[in-house]
Amino acid sequence: MKLLFVFILIMAPLMSSCNNLNQPLDCSDIYQQDKSKPSGVYTIYPMGGRSAVQVYCDMATAGGRWTVIQRRIDGSVNFYRPWDFYKMGFGSAAGEYWLGLDNMHYLTNKQQKYELLVDMEDFEGKKVFARYSSFKVGAECGGYILQVSGFTDGGAGDSLIYHNGMKFSTFDKDQDLWPENCARKFMGAFWYNTCHYANPNGVYRWGADNSLFAVGVVWHHWKGYDYSLKTISMKIRPVQ
Ligand SMILES: [Ca+2]
């Protein structure tokens, strides 16, 4: 009996750290395990044991630990998709993808507060960012409401605050505040208001193009409605 007690005492910390090692919740957990790990594709478990999902971890920008939840880099993935895809996630962690609203909800509704960094680049190679000290996605039953605040300007301007408090909309699920359908009109999926200042899931159009109004990968406060960005990525991490 005494031996068993000692055994449990010795094994307890091992067992708990083992669980953590095998099932990191996000890229911040992966970073804490080994601070020398480079940026790249890793497996995380945002909803526990059976929720394995591949993501891109940014371990370099502003201290690293970022879990990328959305990324456009080359137009290789079609982002004009219905509700179920935005709920569950799609694309490739090594390239363009959307992590999924369920994963975003679970990650950002744990005890720790999350911050958001939006990195973007134009076709001339100029890079800017917008940073928010608080980012949270509500539950599906409430429409995955976006809560974002605490803006810091890295040259991009604040195109997201207009979307704060909005429900998520896709072309087949209109939860925006416009009488018509924002997702259909602007060929994306987002927390549309009436409709947008940011359309990161819009059509990849390789730069300036005013043939169709504001349907591109738009961040209005930086490049206006007629410019579709070369890259944009939204990444989150727990506030330390
Ligand atoms: Ca509508």
PDB file of all heavy atoms in Angstrom, residues 174 176 178-180, ligand 1:
ATOM      1  N   ASP A 174     -27.437  33.587 -44.137  1.00  0.00           N
ATOM      2  CA  ASP A 174     -27.367  35.041 -44.037  1.00  0.00           C
ATOM      3  C   ASP A 174     -27.721  35.489 -42.627  1.00  0.00           C
ATOM      4  O   ASP A 174     -28.886  35.440 -42.228  1.00  0.00           O
ATOM      5  CB  ASP A 174     -28.327  35.646 -45.076  1.00  0.00           C
ATOM      6  CG  ASP A 174     -28.360  37.167 -45.014  1.00  0.00           C
ATOM      7  OD1 ASP A 174     -27.704  37.749 -44.126  1.00  0.00           O
ATOM      8  OD2 ASP A 174     -29.052  37.765 -45.852  1.00  0.00           O
ATOM      9  N   ASP A 176     -26.278  38.532 -41.565  1.00  0.00           N
ATOM     10  CA  ASP A 176     -25.767  39.905 -41.542  1.00  0.00           C
ATOM     11  C   ASP A 176     -26.896  40.905 -41.304  1.00  0.00           C
ATOM     12  O   ASP A 176     -28.064  40.526 -41.182  1.00  0.00           O
ATOM     13  CB  ASP A 176     -25.016  40.203 -42.850  1.00  0.00           C
ATOM     14  CG  ASP A 176     -25.934  40.101 -44.063  1.00  0.00           C
ATOM     15  OD1 ASP A 176     -27.046  40.678 -44.046  1.00  0.00           O
ATOM     16  OD2 ASP A 176     -25.530  39.443 -45.051  1.00  0.00           O
ATOM     17  N   TRP A 178     -27.666  43.458 -43.361  1.00  0.00           N
ATOM     18  CA  TRP A 178     -28.078  44.059 -44.626  1.00  0.00           C
ATOM     19  C   TRP A 178     -29.331  43.337 -45.121  1.00  0.00           C
ATOM     20  O   TRP A 178     -29.438  42.119 -44.962  1.00  0.00           O
ATOM     21  CB  TRP A 178     -26.928  43.892 -45.645  1.00  0.00           C
ATOM     22  CG  TRP A 178     -27.040  44.691 -46.900  1.00  0.00           C
ATOM     23  CD1 TRP A 178     -27.460  45.970 -47.032  1.00  0.00           C
ATOM     24  CD2 TRP A 178     -26.703  44.233 -48.222  1.00  0.00           C
ATOM     25  NE1 TRP A 178     -27.390  46.359 -48.355  1.00  0.00           N
ATOM     26  CE2 TRP A 178     -26.931  45.316 -49.106  1.00  0.00           C
ATOM     27  CE3 TRP A 178     -26.219  43.022 -48.735  1.00  0.00           C
ATOM     28  CZ2 TRP A 178     -26.700  45.224 -50.474  1.00  0.00           C
ATOM     29  CZ3 TRP A 178     -25.975  42.934 -50.099  1.00  0.00           C
ATOM     30  CH2 TRP A 178     -26.222  44.020 -50.958  1.00  0.00           C
ATOM     31  N   PRO A 179     -30.289  44.058 -45.731  1.00  0.00           N
ATOM     32  CA  PRO A 179     -31.494  43.375 -46.229  1.00  0.00           C
ATOM     33  C   PRO A 179     -31.168  42.272 -47.239  1.00  0.00           C
ATOM     34  O   PRO A 179     -31.868  41.264 -47.302  1.00  0.00           O
ATOM     35  CB  PRO A 179     -32.286  44.502 -46.896  1.00  0.00           C
ATOM     36  CG  PRO A 179     -31.824  45.754 -46.209  1.00  0.00           C
ATOM     37  CD  PRO A 179     -30.382  45.521 -45.858  1.00  0.00           C
ATOM     38  N   GLU A 180     -30.094  42.481 -48.033  1.00  0.00           N
ATOM     39  CA  GLU A 180     -29.685  41.430 -48.967  1.00  0.00           C
ATOM     40  C   GLU A 180     -28.615  40.557 -48.331  1.00  0.00           C
ATOM     41  O   GLU A 180     -28.380  40.634 -47.136  1.00  0.00           O
ATOM     42  CB  GLU A 180     -29.196  42.068 -50.272  1.00  0.00           C
ATOM     43  CG  GLU A 180     -30.327  42.766 -51.028  1.00  0.00           C
ATOM     44  CD  GLU A 180     -29.818  43.528 -52.243  1.00  0.00           C
ATOM     45  OE1 GLU A 180     -29.109  42.924 -53.062  1.00  0.00           O
ATOM     46  OE2 GLU A 180     -30.104  44.735 -52.337  1.00  0.00           O
TER      47      GLU A 180
HETATM   48 CA    CA B   1     -28.912  39.945 -44.942  1.00  0.00          CA
END
